[in-house]
Amino acid sequence: PARDIDVIQLELVLADLETMQRRVEKANRLLKGGDKKQVQEVELGQRLLAHLEEGKPARTFSMTDEEKEIVHSWFLLTDKPVIYAANIADSDVGTDESQLPFVQAVEDRRRGRGAGLHGQRADRRRNRQYGAGRKSGVPGRTGHWRKRP
């Protein structure tokens, strides 16, 4: 799940990056008129574009309240709130949510820590718990199928 989050996030950032590139180009063309609002949009757009090029979502971009209004008017995908949902085992119902591996992986991503060792351990633990990997006959990282014992 943590890898899926990263892939989806990257796709959304790339879509916003494309949107911002077009918006900045258009604002640069309109800038010739000397409109103060266009100057501000170009500067903000260039800063946000650099932020997106680093692979970061628009919601993590620091900006003033006035700039937030402008960015919200651009309807960027990574500026919207995110909700994560996951299936859990029946045995996990009623468990403290913060102890579930998926929730821990999402929190790590939200805090910008990445999966790291904790995420890798959670993935291995989850694979053992739900029978994924070698025992279930699923493809490994190399794409080759593993045999069931």
Side-chain angles (χ1 to χ4, degrees):
R3 188 174 45 219
D4 295 340
I5 291 170
D6 290 341
V7 168
I8 292 169
Q9 183 68 35
L10 179 62
E11 288 177 4
L12 295 175
V13 167
L14 291 173
D16 282 353
L17 189 60
E18 191 176 313
T19 300
M20 285 307 303
Q21 287 170 338
R22 285 193 312 262
R23 182 167 289 281
V24 168
E25 287 172 11
K26 181 180 178 183
N28 273 327
R29 285 192 305 266
L30 297 173
L31 188 63
K32 293 181 171 88
D35 184 14
K36 182 182 174 189
K37 182 181 176 189
Q38 290 300 323
V39 172
Q40 184 181 12
E41 280 197 26
V42 167
E43 291 173 357
L44 177 60
Q46 289 172 340
R47 288 189 0 246
L48 181 56
L49 193 58
H51 182 79
L52 291 169
E53 286 172 345
E54 293 175 7
K56 298 176 183 176
R59 72 176 103 24
T60 63
F61 181 66
S62 62
M63 52 193 144
T64 66
D65 290 336
E66 185 180 336
E67 290 173 335
K68 282 181 186 179
E69 286 181 32
I70 295 170
V71 171
H72 289 315
S73 73
W74 294 341
F75 302 105
L76 298 174
L77 297 172
T78 61
D79 189 37
K80 303 195 181 316
V82 178
I83 297 174
Y84 297 101
N87 294 325
I88 60 172
D90 289 339
S91 61
D92 288 337
V93 174
T95 304
D96 179 21
E97 293 172 357
S98 65
Q99 300 303 312
L100 297 173
F102 175 77
V103 174
Q104 292 170 351
V106 170
E107 276 299 307
D108 287 346
R109 297 275 181 300
R110 189 180 67 76
R111 292 185 180 137
R113 290 192 301 229
L117 188 57
H118 173 75
Q120 292 171 6
R121 285 186 194 140
D123 286 343
R124 282 195 296 271
R125 188 173 352 134
R126 188 173 38 259
N127 287 344
R128 282 194 306 273
Q129 182 179 359
Y130 298 112
R134 183 176 53 82
K135 294 180 182 175
S136 63
V138 298
R141 290 184 187 250
T142 61
H144 295 95
W145 284 88
R146 298 177 184 158
K147 292 184 180 179
R148 293 183 183 189

